[in-house]
Amino acid sequence: MSKIPVIKVPLAPIVPKGEKVPVESKRLRPFDALDLEKMLEELETSVIKTINIGKAPWSVLSVISPYSNDFHVMLMETAKDRYLPSMEYIKDKEGNSLMKIWIAIVKYMKQYKKGQIYVGYNWSPRSWGEKEEETGFQSIPTKWHGMFWNWQDLKIDTITNQKKKSSNDNDLNQSEYEKYYFINEKETSDSFKGLNGKTKFANDIVNDFKKIMDNIKNQHLDSKVKNGESKTEKGAYIIQFNHKMEDLFESENFFSDFLKPIAKELNSYFTELTDLFFKKPMCEKFNAILKKTSYEMIPQKDYKFLQSLPELKEDHEIISLLSEKGFSDESIEELLNLVKNRYFLEVLLRKDKEMNKSLDEKDLSNDIKEEYKNPLEKKYSDHFIKSWRKGFAYSLTFKEIDSKTLLKISPGAYLGPGGVVEAEGVVLKRPENYNLPEEELIRKSKELHYEFAEKLSKI
């Protein structure tokens, strides 16, 4: 049976230059991303370096809730009046200049960090809903942000002093900043399994868009890109390039003629697939509302519309349309059940709220209220109800192995934890009640403010 690494990483709020205590900050949630101005003000203290590309400010930020304790930064456009959920919103010239920052970060990581280097991003700009917003994929749906991080070798024989598995998120101590252990694959969540080849429909999805992705690769003028070998494997689309990561990123027009077309086609693909289930096309309506964030905080009625579940087509219509796309009967049944489960879950959520409200109105002791509160969470866990992430999602990740670079695109359809980490076969735990010790935060922050920022200044 497969063993899956579980990484626990504490929060790492940055310590501002010249100070000795970390900033007071919070993990941003999708709702926070609807108010661009307020959200970006919250992020200002985490900015390491801002580089203007034309009139667009692109900032490299320290990550408060990182994937790795060793090194993790993100790159985001930080104008307060620009809705930018995905790469296809970036102008060609701007995006090609952006690759210089990617290359500088990768070179720094190679020079100063150990282990494997990763570059990637999560996409799910239309995954709005009470459960969709809890965890997984694009935490800031209104601003595309690239992630750059590394992990040291995750091998089962390198574990020391961790022979006994612990599932307690509070067991980190002052001498143990990042640790990992292994669990059996069957212990992972449905969303994790869905990103690692355990669904039939994920294979059908990647086989469906493989031809489009291959055409983008094959039409690129640079042989470093064109000669990459593609395949589908375990519900993912993969290209192996016979070049180091920074050399690949230096390919002429790598952004405008490769990354951006991929993002554009995947957006179109998942728009079509999402609207296939609804009686009326809804994705463009969601997009129109989200575009308003460029100049205002959207009203409550618009937010409720984003969270709503549109009326589904009849089963036979959905089955026919998926069959036309080449989905197998088994895959169709699996995906249709997943989507319908999301609607069933919504009914349960509503009943749960009504029950909790009626309990609050009754003259009951707190002990009794606690005993009967949240019956949904007790009876219907995410493991029990395999449920659809409205709008779908995908992760795109580059990693380098033996001077070769692998690109992996993994479609996401499940509610629950998911993204570039899970698509790489790692379970991530980030306890919110524990920070790195202050002396370690100061050390890491100094490195970012000085050594790392100096490298970025040479772009």
Side-chain angles (χ1 to χ4, degrees):
M1 183 175 292
S2 298
K3 293 288 185 178
I4 306 298
V6 181
I7 299 180
K8 285 188 176 183
V9 188
L11 300 182
I14 196 166
V15 179
K17 268 187 178 180
E19 297 187 20
K20 294 185 178 180
V21 293
V23 296
E24 290 188 12
S25 51
K26 65 175 184 177
R27 282 182 64 181
L28 295 171
R29 305 296 182 182
F31 179 77
D32 299 311
L34 294 173
D35 189 338
L36 289 182
E37 186 171 357
K38 186 176 180 181
M39 178 190 71
L40 291 165
E41 286 173 357
E42 178 75 25
L43 286 171
E44 280 177 2
T45 53
S46 297
V47 173
I48 299 162
K49 185 75 175 177
T50 297
I51 299 166
N52 289 317
I53 299 177
K55 295 182 179 180
W58 283 89
S59 298
V60 180
L61 299 100
S62 172
V63 178
I64 294 168
S65 184
Y67 302 157
S68 165
N69 182 50
D70 192 11
F71 187 87
H72 183 184
V73 296
M74 69 179 182
L75 177 62
M76 178 191 292
E77 197 274 349
T78 49
K80 296 177 181 179
D81 59 354
R82 187 184 182 190
Y83 171 65
L84 201 164
S86 184
M87 279 188 170
E88 68 266 22
Y89 283 68
I90 303 172
K91 297 176 182 177
D92 288 356
K93 186 177 180 180
E94 179 183 358
N96 288 330
S97 297
L98 193 64
M99 297 311 300
K100 295 177 183 178
I101 305 177
W102 284 40
I103 293 166
I105 297 173
V106 167
K107 287 183 175 179
Y108 178 85
M109 293 170 72
K110 284 193 170 184
Q111 184 174 356
Y112 295 101
K113 302 298 168 184
K114 296 179 180 179
Q116 197 160 70
I117 293 171
Y118 297 82
V119 177
Y121 70 88
N122 296 317
W123 178 97
S124 57
R126 292 185 288 270
S127 289
W128 294 88
E130 185 175 341
K131 284 296 180 182
E132 283 83 353
E133 294 168 48
E134 285 184 0
T135 184
F137 289 95
Q138 198 170 358
S139 58
I140 304 177
T142 53
K143 285 283 190 181
W144 174 87
H145 46 289
M147 296 295 195
F148 304 77
W149 78 99
N150 76 305
W151 286 317
Q152 298 196 25
D153 293 336
L154 299 177
K155 296 179 180 177
I156 200 164
D157 57 359
T158 62
I159 300 179
T160 56
N161 301 320
Q162 293 182 45
K163 293 182 180 179
K164 292 184 178 180
K165 187 191 77 172
S166 169
S167 59
N168 182 4
D169 282 346
N170 300 318
D171 65 355
L172 291 166
N173 58 51
Q174 294 289 315
S175 64
E176 209 170 21
Y177 305 146
E178 173 181 312
K179 68 177 189 176
Y180 65 95
Y181 56 83
F182 287 81
I183 61 174
N184 292 325
E185 188 177 43
K186 68 178 182 180
E187 298 177 60
T188 60
S189 67
D190 292 321
S191 58
F192 182 90
K193 293 184 181 77
L195 278 167
N196 288 276
K198 299 302 179 182
T199 62
K200 297 292 183 182
F201 66 79
N203 292 308
D204 282 353
I205 286 174
V206 295
N207 286 327
D208 197 17
F209 67 59
K210 180 180 186 297
K211 184 177 179 180
I212 301 171
M213 300 294 104
D214 284 348
N215 284 340
I216 293 170
K217 175 184 72 69
N218 295 339
Q219 289 173 11
H220 201 279
L221 297 179
D222 194 312
S223 61
K224 291 198 295 290
V225 178
K226 182 185 295 187
N227 293 339
E229 297 180 3
S230 73
K231 64 179 179 179
T232 59
E233 183 178 87
K234 293 183 178 179
Y237 172 78
I238 298 169
I239 306 176
Q240 178 179 292
F241 302 98
N242 295 320
H243 300 275
K244 295 179 180 178
M245 195 179 287
E246 66 270 31
D247 294 336
L248 179 66
F249 294 165
E250 286 175 346
S251 303
E252 186 175 359
N253 296 333
F254 186 72
F255 179 90
S256 61
D257 293 349
F258 184 68
L259 289 177
K260 183 176 177 179
I262 284 176
K264 186 176 181 179
E265 290 293 345
L266 288 175
N267 175 66
S268 296
Y269 181 85
F270 286 114
T271 294
E272 179 187 347
L273 188 58
T274 300
D275 282 340
L276 178 153
F277 291 92
F278 300 147
K279 281 196 171 181
K280 296 179 181 179
M282 300 299 293
C283 287
E284 283 307 314
K285 292 183 179 181
F286 293 141
N287 292 347
I289 289 174
L290 290 164
K291 286 176 182 177
K292 295 180 185 178
T293 57
S294 289
Y295 52 87
E296 67 177 2
M297 171 66 177
I298 64 172
Q300 185 69 11
K301 66 175 183 178
D302 282 349
Y303 177 55
K304 289 299 181 184
F305 182 78
L306 289 177
Q307 290 192 310
S308 67
L309 289 171
E311 191 175 358
L312 290 177
K313 290 173 181 168
E314 297 295 328
D315 286 8
H316 68 88
E317 294 180 79
I318 295 171
I319 291 169
S320 176
L321 290 167
L322 287 173
S323 181
E324 287 177 15
K325 288 181 69 66
F327 282 51
S328 67
D329 291 345
E330 188 177 4
S331 177
I332 291 170
E333 181 181 6
E334 189 179 47
L335 184 54
L336 179 57
N337 285 338
L338 191 74
V339 172
K340 292 173 74 173
N341 280 350
R342 180 65 186 90
Y343 285 72
F344 174 55
L345 179 59
E346 197 70 13
V347 172
L348 295 175
L349 287 168
R350 187 160 55 249
K351 288 182 177 179
D352 189 55
K353 286 182 178 179
E354 290 171 358
M355 182 174 289
N356 284 335
K357 183 179 179 181
S358 64
L359 282 173
D360 287 336
E361 291 171 350
K362 291 180 180 178
D363 185 18
L364 299 174
S365 71
N366 288 333
D367 289 342
I368 293 176
K369 285 183 179 180
E370 280 302 313
E371 183 179 350
Y372 286 96
K373 261 183 179 284
N374 300 318
L376 173 69
E377 296 302 326
K378 293 178 181 178
K379 293 182 181 178
Y380 303 103
S381 70
D382 284 342
H383 289 279
F384 185 84
I385 302 176
K386 296 181 179 181
S387 193
W388 179 49
R389 177 179 295 278
K390 186 180 70 179
F392 291 96
Y394 74 83
S395 66
L396 184 151
T397 314
F398 291 95
K399 67 179 177 183
E400 185 177 306
I401 301 175
D402 298 329
S403 298
K404 299 179 187 294
T405 300
L406 294 181
L407 165 65
K408 183 178 184 180
I409 300 172
S410 302
Y414 280 79
L415 284 178
V420 290
V421 171
E422 289 79 7
E424 287 299 320
V426 173
V427 173
L428 182 65
K429 292 190 177 291
R430 297 182 281 184
E432 296 196 20
N433 58 352
Y434 182 82
N435 288 356
L436 277 174
E438 286 193 358
E439 62 269 21
E440 180 66 8
L441 288 174
I442 291 171
R443 184 197 67 76
K444 287 174 64 68
S445 298
K446 282 184 177 179
E447 176 191 350
L448 293 172
H449 287 313
Y450 296 100
E451 289 94 338
F452 180 54
E454 182 182 347
K455 296 292 184 182
L456 295 179
S457 298
K458 295 178 181 179
I459 295 175

